[in-house]
């Protein structure tokens, strides 16, 4: 008699466990649940991409500092800047025009 009671109880417990397991799985497969899972994965992926981009930015800044140190560059904002080269270009352009005028004059003389 105890054997039958034992197996009956074991079978009922297994049935309840299996039913609970199946119901949980079915709830996970509803459209609302699948949408929520997809949204959570998307948010998680966005956070990972943001962290990756921040790591890349930090690495770039670190490498730029290393290269600046190796090349002897200084980030002193009060340092004098080189004069603009635009004026030199304008001056050379005007002297070029003068040279061209003399060439034309030479050709006209002959």
């Amino acid at each position: 008699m105890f054997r039958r009671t034992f197996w009956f109880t074991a079978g009922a417990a297994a049935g309840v466990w299996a039913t609970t397991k199946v119901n949980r799985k079915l709830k996970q497969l509803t459209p609302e649940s699948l949408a929520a899972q997809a949204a959570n994965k998307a948010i998680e992926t966005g956070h990972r991409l943001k962290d990756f981009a921040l790591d890349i930015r930090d690495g770039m800044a670190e490498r730029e500092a290393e290269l600046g140190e190796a090349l002897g560059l200084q980030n002193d904002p009060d340092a004098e800047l080189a004069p603009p080269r635009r004026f030199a270009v304008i001056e050379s352009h005007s002297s070029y025009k003068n040279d061209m005028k003399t060439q034309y004059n030479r050709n006209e003389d002959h």
Side-chain angles (χ1 to χ4, degrees):
M1 170 108 165
F2 288 112
R3 280 182 156 175
R4 288 183 182 175
T5 307
F6 171 76
W7 287 114
F8 177 77
T9 306
V16 169
W17 177 79
T19 304
T20 305
K21 193 90 163 163
V22 167
N23 284 335
R24 284 184 188 165
K25 203 46 120 167
L26 287 175
K27 285 181 183 178
Q28 288 180 350
L29 296 176
T30 61
E32 295 85 13
S33 178
L34 290 175
Q37 288 176 7
N40 290 338
K41 292 281 185 182
I43 290 171
E44 181 181 338
T45 302
H47 289 304
R48 286 184 181 179
L49 286 174
K50 181 181 175 185
D51 291 342
F52 177 70
L54 291 174
D55 288 344
I56 293 293
R57 184 179 293 168
D58 291 344
M60 285 173 37
E62 182 180 326
R63 182 65 176 146
E64 185 176 342
E66 289 174 3
L67 289 173
E69 185 178 315
L71 296 174
L73 301 176
Q74 297 176 353
N75 292 334
D76 187 11
D78 297 331
E80 291 186 30
L81 297 175
R85 298 190 69 166
R86 180 172 180 235
F87 299 113
V89 172
I90 292 172
E91 290 173 7
S92 67
H93 183 66
S94 63
S95 66
Y96 175 75
K97 283 185 177 179
N98 290 336
D99 290 342
M100 292 303 290
K101 286 181 183 178
T102 57
Q103 285 180 354
Y104 289 132
N105 289 339
R106 289 182 189 165
N107 289 336
E108 290 178 12
D109 292 338
H110 290 102

